[in-house]
Amino acid sequence: MPGKGTVTADGYVPLFPEGTEFLEQLQYREADGTLVTLAGFRTTDRHARERGEGWFEADRGPGAYFTFPTFYFQNRTLGLEIRDTIPAGGNKIQIFLRANGGSFDGTTFSLFRNIQNPEVRDYGWSMNTGFNNPTEKGLPFCHTDQPREDCMIEFTSNWRTDPHSPLKIGDKIELAPAVRLARWEMNQDPKKAGWPLQSGNRYYSQATTDPAKSGKAIIDGGGSRYYSLEQLYVVGKGMRPWYGIAPNLDSEPLPDDTLLGGDTSISYNYADEPMRVFQQPANNIGIKNLQRFVEGRRLFHTSFKDGTHSEHDRTNPVFSAHIGQLGPRFNQERCIACHVNNGRSSAAEIGSPLDMMLVATGTAMNEGRRIAHPDYGLNVQHHANGGKANDYDVTISQYETQLRTLPDGTQVELRKPVYAFKGARPALMSVRQAPQVIGMGLLEAVPEQTIVAMADPDDRNGDGIRGVFNLVTDPDTGQPRVGRFGWKAGKASIRHQAAEALMNDMSVTTTSYPKHSCQRGAADCRSSAGAPAVSEAELQRLTHYLSLLGVPAQRSVRSGYPAGMRVAVEHDVDPVVVARGTAVFSSTGCTSCHTAQLKTGNTHPFVELRNQTIRPYTDMLLHDMGPDLADTVQEYKAMPAMWRTPPLWGVGTLKFTQGGADKARYLHDGRARTLMEAILWHGGEAEATRKKFEALPATDRAALIAFLETL
C-alpha cells in the first residue's frame, strides 16, 4: 500500500517516499566480483519458436508459447539463481534451481542455442542437462530459499563454439528449463515409473488404476510436464530481452532503443502469438515476484459471479472464495472481460450496450468531483444482479460524420458517436474505453518531481503546449497525490485504479472501497463493519500483477528468418521507414506531449521497475485537446476538454489483441478506427502539431504511422 508522508511544496504526497523497501532482490555482486542473478520463470506449453506448423509450411499458427497452462497459478513457477564467476576472474557458472512451492520431481535444462547445426529450427540446443530434484533434511526438493549443490548444474565452456571455448564476458547463454511434477502412472510398479525413488520423497510417481489420474500431477491433479519461457543470459551482465538474428533466429540481445519498458521489455515472439503479448510478466521478474504475478493474474481472470476462470474454465479450479461477490449492478463479471487480452474494450457497434466501457455520470460538479446521478451513481452499470436486466442500457444510436480533406487532397472520414440512454439522460456524462494495462508499474515508478517538472501551465516557451499535472485524493489515506492513471489522470496509483474499477464496473468491494455506497459517491462509504469481498491480500495480489506486466519491445529491427520461411506479420517491418517515421514524429512536435523517454526512480517496491530508462511516449500530464474531444465531466483539475497524454507503447499491437485491425479503436471513447483518424481528431494544444502532420507529404505521414505500428 502507498505510504503516508508530508505534503510537498507542489501540493502532493509522494506515492513511494525515499527509503521504501523492496520486495525481492534481483541481482547483486559478491565481494570477489561474482555476479548473482535471481530470475523467475513460468511454465508454458511449447517452445519459443514453434508456430503451430512446420517452419516452412503454410500458415496454421498460432503456437502455444505465450499461453498459460491449466493450474499455472499453483506449483508451477520457478527461479534460477545464476552464480557467474567470470567477472570475478573465475571460469564457471553455476545455476541453482529454486522451486516456488517445492513441488517439482525433476528438471531438464537446455542451454546454448546450437548455431553450428544448420538443421536447428524451432528448438535445438547444444547442451542439455538436468537432474532429479531430491529431498533432504525435511525440505521438499529444491527449496526456494535454500539452494543446494544437488539442485545445481555447472559448466565452464561456451557450447555455441566448436570446439567449446572458455566462457568470457558477453557470451550468450539461452536458458530453457523444463520441469516435471511427480505424476500418477497407470498400472505400473512405482519403482519402474520413470524416475528413481528417493528416501523420504512422498511425491514420486505412483501406480494407479484410475484413468482420470493417469499422467496427472499427484500434488493437484493438473499437468505434470512443462516447458518454460526461454530467456537469454549474457555472461557478466545478466538477463536480456532478445530477438532472432541469422542464422535461424538465433537469440541476440535487443538494441537498447527498442526496449520501450527498459529491462522489463518482452522479447520478440516467434510463435505467431501477438494477441498474447500484453499478458506476459516483466522480462527481469524475480522468483517470488513471479509467483505474486500469477496469483494476481488468476484474480484478474476470475468471475466474481461463479468463481470460474476465463481460461480452461472446465479444468482450472473454481476460485470459490469469489463466488457471488458481484454487487447489485455490474457491467462485466471479471476484469479481463473489459480489457480484452489485456488490451482495450471490444469495439462498440451501433445498438449494442456499452457494457465493456465506462459511462461516467453525474448531476453537477462539486470542487472537481461529480455529484452522483440518482439512478446510475457515478457511472452506468448496465446489468442488474438478480433483477431486471438491461434497464439502464447505453448504446451508440448513430455516428455524426465529417470529411477531413488534407492539403494534398487526401480525404479521411471522421466519426463521432451519438449516445442513447434507455433510462434518464444524465446532465454530465463521459464515455471511455478500457485502456491496455501494460507498463502501469513503470509509470507508477516515475518520480512525481519528473512529472511536475514537465508541466508548463503558463506556456513559458510559447509553443502552445500547457501541460498540467492532476492532483487527486488517495482513497486509502485521504492525502493528495499526483494523478497518473485513467483517461483524465484521476487515479493516483495502480491500487487506486484497480479498486475503483472493481467498485464501478462490478460493484465488488475492497478495503479501499468497502461499501457499495461508494459507487453512489456517499461521503461515509468507507465506514463499514463487514468484510470486503476482495481482501487486502487479494487487492495486493491484483496490484502486483498489474505492476509486473511487461511492455513489448518495439518491433523496429528486422529478424533473421531463414530464406523461404514466412515472416510473421508483426515482424514484417522496414527499419528505414520506421526510422524516418520516428524522426517525423519528433519534428512535427508530437513529442511535446508524447514524451519519448523517461527514467523511473529508485523507490518503487518492485526492484524490477527501479532505475529503468523507458520509452512510453507520454508525459502523464493533462492537455486541453479542444472542443471536438470535450465531454461534460471534470475530474479534479481535469476540465471537460482536458485529457491525459496516453502512453503509446503497445498501440501498434492493438490490432492483434483486439482480434483484427477492424476491431481496434483509439482515443478515450474509441471513436477513431485508425491511427490516422486519432491524429486528425487532435485539437486545442495539439492543433498546430496536427496541422503540421496534415501538411506532410503522404510518404512521411505513412512513415509516421509505420513507426506507431511498431510500438
Side-chain angles (χ1 to χ4, degrees):
M1 180 187 295
K4 295 183 178 181
T6 304
V7 178
T8 68
D10 289 304
Y12 65 86
V13 175
L15 196 60
F16 302 114
E18 291 293 332
T20 299
E21 295 183 357
F22 57 78
L23 290 173
E24 182 179 17
Q25 181 63 284
L26 302 181
Q27 191 177 66
Y28 59 92
R29 290 186 186 271
E30 296 183 335
D32 67 353
T34 296
L35 181 66
V36 180
T37 300
L38 305 172
F41 287 74
R42 74 166 180 87
T43 52
T44 187
D45 288 313
R46 292 304 306 169
H47 291 290
R49 297 173 181 83
E50 288 183 284
R51 311 192 308 173
E53 77 275 359
W55 269 33
F56 297 97
E57 294 179 17
D59 183 10
R60 293 201 317 265
Y65 171 63
F66 268 174
T67 55
F68 285 79
T70 307
F71 286 61
Y72 67 88
F73 42 80
Q74 59 191 39
N75 306 310
R76 285 163 179 79
T77 63
L78 63 146
L80 302 181
E81 177 182 316
I82 305 167
R83 298 183 56 81
D84 183 352
T85 71
I86 310 305
N91 68 340
K92 65 184 178 183
I93 290 178
Q94 295 176 322
I95 300 180
F96 293 84
L97 176 71
R98 291 188 172 197
N100 285 325
S103 60
F104 300 149
D105 188 75
T107 305
T108 300
F109 286 87
S110 298
L111 307 97
F112 299 103
R113 189 151 176 81
N114 189 2
I115 60 172
Q116 303 298 324
N117 182 356
E119 300 303 317
V120 165
R121 292 291 187 265
D122 45 5
Y123 57 91
W125 295 273
S126 54
M127 180 181 181
N128 288 283
T129 185
F131 47 76
N132 292 324
N133 301 357
T135 60
E136 181 180 296
K137 299 177 182 178
L139 296 175
F141 308 117
C142 301
H143 195 266
T144 302
D145 297 316
Q146 300 186 34
R148 308 192 308 273
E149 289 186 3
D150 50 9
C151 296
M152 181 267 289
I153 58 174
E154 179 179 293
F155 49 94
T156 59
S157 300
N158 182 354
W159 285 54
R160 291 170 56 88
T161 62
D162 187 15
H164 306 328
S165 58
L167 290 170
K168 66 180 184 302
I169 291 177
D171 280 351
K172 299 184 297 185
I173 302 173
E174 189 174 76
L175 300 171
V179 298
R180 63 178 185 249
L181 281 69
R183 63 184 178 180
W184 295 94
E185 291 296 322
M186 189 75 170
N187 296 320
Q188 288 188 21
D189 183 332
K191 294 182 179 180
K192 301 177 181 178
W195 310 301
L197 303 185
Q198 303 191 36
S199 176
N201 184 342
R202 64 186 180 88
Y203 289 121
Y204 59 75
S205 298
Q206 298 184 20
T208 178
T209 58
D210 183 353
K213 286 185 176 181
S214 180
K216 301 293 183 63
I218 296 172
I219 192 170
D220 58 18
S224 62
R225 176 70 169 85
Y226 297 95
Y227 303 97
S228 74
L229 292 184
E230 296 172 15
Q231 298 279 41
L232 181 65
Y233 180 83
V234 178
V235 177
K237 298 179 181 179
M239 313 300 293
R240 291 293 182 267
W242 61 273
Y243 77 118
I245 62 172
N248 295 353
L249 297 176
D250 180 28
S251 301
E252 175 76 6
L254 274 160
D256 286 346
D257 61 4
T258 68
L259 301 181
L260 301 181
D263 292 336
T264 75
S265 301
I266 306 303
S267 301
Y268 281 16
N269 172 255
Y270 297 106
D272 281 5
E273 300 171 281
M275 79 293 288
R276 299 185 182 114
V277 75
F278 284 175
Q279 301 185 52
Q280 306 310 312
N283 189 78
N284 61 341
I285 196 166
I287 301 171
K288 292 183 179 179
N289 285 344
L290 183 54
Q291 183 59 33
R292 292 184 174 101
F293 175 89
V294 294
E295 289 176 3
R297 184 184 189 274
R298 181 190 187 188
L299 191 59
F300 198 78
H301 285 252
T302 290
S303 165
F304 289 94
K305 179 181 180 182
D306 58 19
T308 58
H309 195 288
S310 66
E311 304 162 320
H312 318 296
D313 60 334
R314 296 186 180 182
T315 49
N316 267 327
V318 169
F319 206 159
S320 57
H322 297 292
I323 295 174
Q325 292 185 332
L326 284 178
R329 300 196 65 88
F330 65 97
N331 284 325
Q332 295 294 326
E333 61 188 65
R334 48 170 59 93
C335 303
I336 194 69
C338 288
H339 301 277
V340 178
N341 289 320
N342 281 9
R344 300 190 177 183
S345 304
S346 294
E349 305 295 340
I350 291 177
S352 60
L354 302 182
D355 58 358
M356 290 187 178
M357 304 177 75
L358 174 75
V359 182
T361 56
T363 59
M365 299 301 304
N366 180 23
E367 297 182 354
R369 300 304 306 272
R370 277 171 288 137
I371 298 175
H373 189 275
D375 294 332
Y376 310 125
L378 294 173
N379 62 283
V380 177
Q381 294 175 325
H382 288 69
H383 306 297
N385 189 3
K388 183 180 179 182
N390 305 324
D391 53 339
Y392 284 175
D393 271 1
V394 182
T395 59
I396 297 174
S397 61
Q398 62 179 338
Y399 286 97
E400 295 176 350
T401 63
Q402 58 175 286
L403 200 62
R404 182 73 59 83
T405 302
L406 308 188
D408 64 359
T410 300
Q411 292 187 321
V412 181
E413 181 189 64
L414 303 181
R415 304 192 312 173
K416 182 177 181 179
V418 177
Y419 302 108
F421 283 73
K422 200 168 189 177
R425 188 176 186 87
L428 305 179
M429 64 166 290
S430 178
V431 177
R432 305 172 194 176
Q433 66 168 324
Q436 64 263 34
V437 294
I438 58 169
M440 295 178 69
L442 292 167
L443 295 181
E444 190 178 61
V446 173
E448 286 88 353
Q449 56 265 39
T450 298
I451 301 171
V452 171
M454 291 187 289
D456 186 14
D458 301 320
D459 190 17
R460 294 185 299 270
N461 62 5
D463 65 354
I465 308 298
R466 299 176 177 85
V468 176
F469 66 91
N470 210 352
L471 272 179
V472 307
T473 301
D474 188 319
D476 292 299
T477 66
Q479 294 180 312
R481 308 273 194 194
V482 172
R484 299 170 187 261
F485 302 110
W487 289 100
K488 285 185 178 288
K491 314 300 185 299
S493 63
I494 297 173
R495 176 191 175 92
H496 185 181
Q497 176 73 49
E500 192 163 310
L502 285 166
M503 172 55 62
N504 287 342
D505 295 329
M506 292 174 283
S507 288
V508 173
T509 58
T510 62
T511 49
S512 294
Y513 296 102
K515 294 177 68 176
H516 291 121
S517 59
C518 289
Q519 208 279 332
R520 314 294 297 180
D524 65 346
C525 78
R526 287 191 49 78
S527 59
S528 175
V534 173
S535 67
E536 177 62 25
E538 289 283 73
L539 181 57
Q540 285 190 20
R541 287 190 181 99
L542 185 58
T543 301
H544 291 167
Y545 168 65
L546 294 170
S547 299
L548 291 169
L549 281 166
V551 175
Q554 184 181 4
R555 292 170 284 105
S556 54
V557 293
R558 194 79 178 176
S559 298
Y561 284 91
M565 181 180 180
R566 176 184 57 80
V567 177
V569 62
E570 70 268 29
H571 296 305
D572 192 6
V573 299
D574 185 333
V576 174
V577 173
V578 174
R580 176 59 184 163
T582 306
V584 173
F585 187 81
S586 178
S587 65
T588 54
C590 299
T591 52
S592 296
C593 299
H594 291 283
T595 304
Q597 185 169 297
L598 296 172
K599 184 73 177 289
T600 65
N602 63 353
T603 63
H604 198 281
F606 287 114
V607 173
E608 291 91 334
L609 310 177
R610 293 185 175 190
N611 302 310
Q612 296 296 317
T613 298
I614 62 175
R615 297 163 180 84
Y617 293 94
T618 179
D619 57 11
M620 287 188 278
L621 298 174
L622 300 167
H623 295 277
D624 187 328
M625 297 300 291
D628 284 343
L629 289 178
D631 55 27
T632 56
V633 167
Q634 178 184 351
E635 279 189 57
Y636 299 99
K637 292 161 61 175
M639 303 305 290
M642 297 177 74
W643 301 95
R644 180 193 72 152
T645 307
L648 296 181
W649 51 21
V651 72
T653 301
L654 289 174
K655 59 180 175 288
F656 303 116
T657 62
Q658 307 307 125
D662 61 322
K663 296 180 177 63
R665 294 292 184 267
Y666 309 92
L667 298 180
H668 67 278
D669 57 4
R671 70 178 67 183
R673 295 162 292 182
T674 65
L675 291 168
M676 173 74 84
E677 288 182 35
I679 294 170
L680 296 184
W681 274 111
H682 282 49
E685 295 176 35
E687 185 168 359
T689 297
R690 187 203 73 225
K691 289 181 176 179
K692 289 181 182 178
F693 171 80
E694 292 175 344
L696 290 170
T699 53
D700 280 354
R701 292 198 303 269
L704 189 151
I705 298 295
F707 154 69
L708 294 176
E709 293 280 7
T710 67
L711 295 181

